Amino acid sequence: MTDQTTTPDLDRALGFTIPDRHARGRAVRLGPTLDAILSAHAYPPAIEKLLAEALTLTALIGATLKDPAGQLTMQTQTENGIVTLLVCDWRGGEVRGYVQYDADKLAAALADPTLFALFGPGYLAITFDLASTGERYQGIVPLDGDTLAEAAQSYFYQSEQIPTLVRVGMHKDATGQCVAGGLLLQHLPEGEEGRERLHTKLDHPEWEHVEALGRTIAADELADAQLPLETLLWRLFNEESEVRVLDGQPVSRGCRCTVEHIRSVLERFPLEQRLEMADERGLIAVDCAFCSTVFPLRAEDLAA
């Protein structure tokens, strides 16, 4: 790797390993994809910032899946917080997400509420669905710490027993465009690379070295679109004997709602119930929480 500046590096995930340190990682940076998701909802700044961090984390963790058809879902569970629901998922390089929140509680909060102010005593659930094997794994951890990134880091320690470092940075320029970047570092014991579920021995002496290097990354570096991800890794690990950079993976906005899918769901209801759902024009308006698209379907035109 060489330290050089190129064109903006956006909407991409990059994997890497440090063999001599028994470590692996992912770096990700989101730009237009992030803007497309956020602009569909017109969230207040505090909610927009939260979702940007959640989407970056989803891309970081989702990009570790070996199964191209596998899905990673990240969801919060809360008790009387401002945010009542946050859901993001990743599948095949596509991310999506949305937030439900109490506007009145948010208006009464500070301008930049803490994670605890947003969620209260909440929980973070991360679910892996592996399409190739049909297996599903889920871990749930408290929303401790100051950021979602810290909660995700705790997930790997508590649920996976994998020493992990997670860093996320976000920047919004004068035109309103958002760029967010993230770094995920994990310790793996020798011989474990390539497995979906990893069991690791703790307190490996070389992990502290990798973790210390990862902690030197600044938020503005993670969110700097002019800093290629390869250059970012070179800055962090150029003194290591070998850093293997894997093929980059594009990241895009993806929503799986379609007219066909919605039609198939509505057609399961009897005509009488469909007519009750319809408005005065006879239309059933179904909106997707992820992309804010409304699908109007005529109740009487659906198959019996």
Side-chain angles (χ1 to χ4, degrees), residues 61-179:
I61 302 171
T64 65
L65 285 170
K66 301 293 190 300
D67 183 351
Q71 179 169 314
L72 177 282
T73 304
M74 189 168 70
Q75 180 175 335
T76 61
Q77 302 174 9
T78 65
E79 298 177 12
N80 302 316
I82 293 172
V83 175
T84 56
L85 178 66
L86 183 153
V87 180
C88 295
D89 69 32
W90 159 287
R91 190 171 74 178
E94 295 183 340
V95 292
R96 62 179 184 169
Y98 73 96
V99 182
Q100 292 180 357
Y101 65 98
D102 187 314
D104 292 334
K105 287 184 179 180
L106 180 63
L110 297 175
D112 189 17
T114 64
L115 191 69
F116 185 81
L118 287 171
F119 289 101
Y123 296 85
L124 174 70
I126 296 179
T127 306
F128 293 89
D129 287 293
L130 307 181
S132 60
T133 63
E135 295 175 285
R136 164 177 279 202
Y137 303 104
Q138 184 181 71
I140 300 176
V141 294
L143 277 169
D144 293 335
D146 297 327
T147 64
L148 280 178
E150 291 183 13
Q153 190 170 284
S154 296
Y155 162 82
F156 284 103
Y157 274 109
Q158 296 180 33
S159 296
E160 303 280 350
Q161 291 81 52
I162 301 176
T164 301
L165 177 72
V166 182
R167 288 289 181 268
V168 173
M170 176 184 168
H171 172 71
K172 191 170 186 178
D173 64 22
T175 67
Q177 292 184 316
C178 291
V179 175

Side-chain angles (χ1 to χ4, degrees), residues 3 40 72 100 133 142 197 231 234 240 251-252:
D3 193 0
L72 177 282
Q100 292 180 357
T133 63
R197 297 284 288 175
T231 302
W234 183 87
E240 297 302 315
V251 181
S252 61

